[in-house]
Amino acid sequence: MTLTELLPTIRQLSAIDKRELIRILMAEEDISNERAWKAQFEATTDAQWDSLAEIVRQEITAVDIF
């Protein structure tokens, strides 16, 4: 079923039910984003971590803190 097909039903929901539906959809999106982030994090190689660490070291060295 598509969103277009669901719209008539969604329009009939009470304001409270619509808010609950939005909350559920947002939670699902958060879960999806979390899974994508976790997969990307786990796929990061040691070489990529080393490269990132070197960039951070260079930025720290370049900052004039005094």
Side-chain angles (χ1 to χ4, degrees), residues 2 6-9 18 24 29 32 36 41 45 49 52 55-58 60:
T2 67
L6 286 173
L7 279 176
T9 303
K18 286 177 186 174
I24 291 168
E29 182 177 345
S32 176
F41 182 84
T45 65
W49 286 121
L52 181 59
I55 291 169
V56 171
R57 283 188 206 97
Q58 290 174 7
I60 291 170

Side-chain angles (χ1 to χ4, degrees):
M1 186 171 270
T2 67
L3 182 56
T4 304
E5 294 168 331
L6 286 173
L7 279 176
T9 303
I10 292 170
R11 286 188 180 116
Q12 294 175 8
L13 294 174
S14 69
I16 292 171
D17 289 339
K18 286 177 186 174
R19 283 194 295 271
E20 181 64 12
L21 177 59
I22 290 169
R23 186 194 65 73
I24 291 168
L25 293 173
M26 290 177 72
E28 287 294 321
E29 182 177 345
D30 287 345
I31 291 168
S32 176
N33 289 342
E34 181 67 23
R35 286 181 184 147
W37 183 89
K38 183 178 180 188
Q40 185 175 1
F41 182 84
E42 290 174 349
T44 304
T45 65
D46 288 343
Q48 290 170 316
W49 286 121
D50 292 344
S51 176
L52 181 59
E54 182 57 30
I55 291 169
V56 171
R57 283 188 206 97
Q58 290 174 7
E59 289 183 4
I60 291 170
T61 301
V63 174
D64 183 10
I65 58 173
F66 297 104

